[in-house]
Amino acid sequence: MARNEELFNAVSGGKMDLVPELVQKELDAGAKPDEILQDSMIAAMREIGERFENEEAYVPEMLLAARAMQGGLSVLEPALAASGHEALGKVAIGTVKGDLHDIGKNLVSTMLSGAGYSVEDLGINCEVDKFAEAANKGAKVILCSALLTTTMPYMKEVIDHLKENNKDVKVIVGGAPVSQEFADSINADGYGEDANMAVKIVDKLYKAG
Ligand code: B1M
């Protein structure tokens, strides 16, 4: 699907009253939820990020775009999450300490719920203890999200702690600055480039026992 310019501009321009309506219009017109998300909405978030980097936009604009994105996601998520999976197992997801970005993490959480997992959402700014508590309460896979290059290294602290204290738990990392190479370097059990990939990795780890 080609990008819907009106939706793209409404998300990047932070038009939170307009975005849900435009998303609904796209769904009603038969557009695929994943394409609406990728081609128009995530593309718009990337664009506002680039403008921020070039000092053409500032934190308030990023915040408005984030709110508009979230408004759109509330309409899109039920359609995104609809899938044929049966009930599976328990997982937990959080954004790591120092990091307040949660849109990507929320998307991964939604997709996992839609795939049949019982997801504990630990929120943002999560310290090691929070992840460990979730593992102690029975989560078999822990997912850590980071959007900042400065918060990525904290994932290693989470992994080191969990590998020592919760030997059976698996840890997946993801978020815009994270790569497979980085994931390997900190001994993560998996890396999800996007929300769909995260679900596939969780499926794989669950099947592996
Ligand atoms: Co921030 N921010 N931000 N920001 N922000 C980025 C990340 C940045 C890249 C912008 C830029 O400069 N181009 C930059 C980071 C630079 C860097 O580290 N190298 C940045 C910065 C610098 C900052 C501040 C430091 C700005 C400041 O205050 N001076 C500050 C930091 C605050 C903090 O966290 N301590 C800050 C603040 C904010 C807002 C609060 C204004 C807002 C966040 C609101 C919110 O999340 N509720 C915000 C936003 C909106 C962004 C951008 C524009 C958009 C992020 C987003 O939601 N994308 C972002 C630019 C960008 O990413 N291009 C930027 C859409 C979302 C669907 O994608 O989160 O990548 P994403 O998630 C994807 C994948 O990454 C993956 O799946 C998702 C779906 O495909 N994924 C996983 C994510 N987690 C996963 C976990 C998994 C698997 C996959 O398994 C574990």
Side-chain angles (χ1 to χ4, degrees), residues 5-185:
E5 291 300 327
E6 204 184 354
L7 178 56
F8 176 91
N9 290 331
V11 173
S12 65
K15 306 266 185 281
M16 62 189 107
D17 294 340
L18 191 57
V19 170
E21 190 186 306
L22 292 176
V23 170
Q24 190 58 56
K25 232 164 125 181
E26 282 285 271
L27 286 171
D28 293 345
K32 289 197 182 125
D34 196 46
E35 289 180 1
I36 302 174
L37 176 68
Q38 295 294 340
D39 299 346
S40 301
M41 298 171 75
I42 290 187
M45 294 306 280
R46 231 174 263 135
E47 133 110 346
I48 187 78
E50 275 162 25
R51 281 172 38 211
F52 174 77
E53 223 170 284
N54 299 330
E55 298 185 9
E56 294 159 9
Y58 300 92
V59 171
E61 282 95 339
M62 280 208 292
L63 209 46
L64 286 177
R67 287 201 191 132
M69 175 81 174
Q70 267 155 349
L73 283 175
S74 64
V75 176
L76 195 62
E77 277 177 343
L80 272 176
S83 90
H85 282 254
E86 72 235 38
L88 297 163
K90 218 168 166 183
V91 302
I93 183 166
T95 302
V96 296
K97 183 180 168 188
D99 204 320
L100 308 178
H101 295 86
D102 67 356
I103 297 176
K105 184 262 300 166
N106 294 344
L107 259 177
V108 177
S109 173
T110 300
M111 298 301 280
L112 284 165
S113 300
Y117 291 96
S118 153
V119 184
E120 185 180 5
D121 191 333
L122 306 172
I124 52 174
N125 197 23
C126 294
E127 302 213 13
V128 164
D129 290 355
K130 217 164 184 182
F131 291 106
E133 198 186 324
N136 290 334
K137 284 196 303 190
K140 285 210 171 66
V141 180
I142 300 286
L143 297 100
C144 300
S145 178
L147 263 284
L148 299 171
T149 45
T150 49
T151 57
M152 274 164 70
Y154 192 74
M155 291 171 154
K156 178 165 164 37
E157 289 186 39
V158 177
I159 290 173
D160 288 349
H161 180 92
L162 292 176
K163 296 277 172 200
E164 200 170 323
N165 299 286
N166 305 75
K167 292 196 181 352
D168 293 335
V169 80
K170 304 283 184 203
V171 186
I172 300 180
V173 294
V178 180
S179 63
Q180 182 67 59
E181 198 184 2
F182 175 75
D184 293 342
S185 77

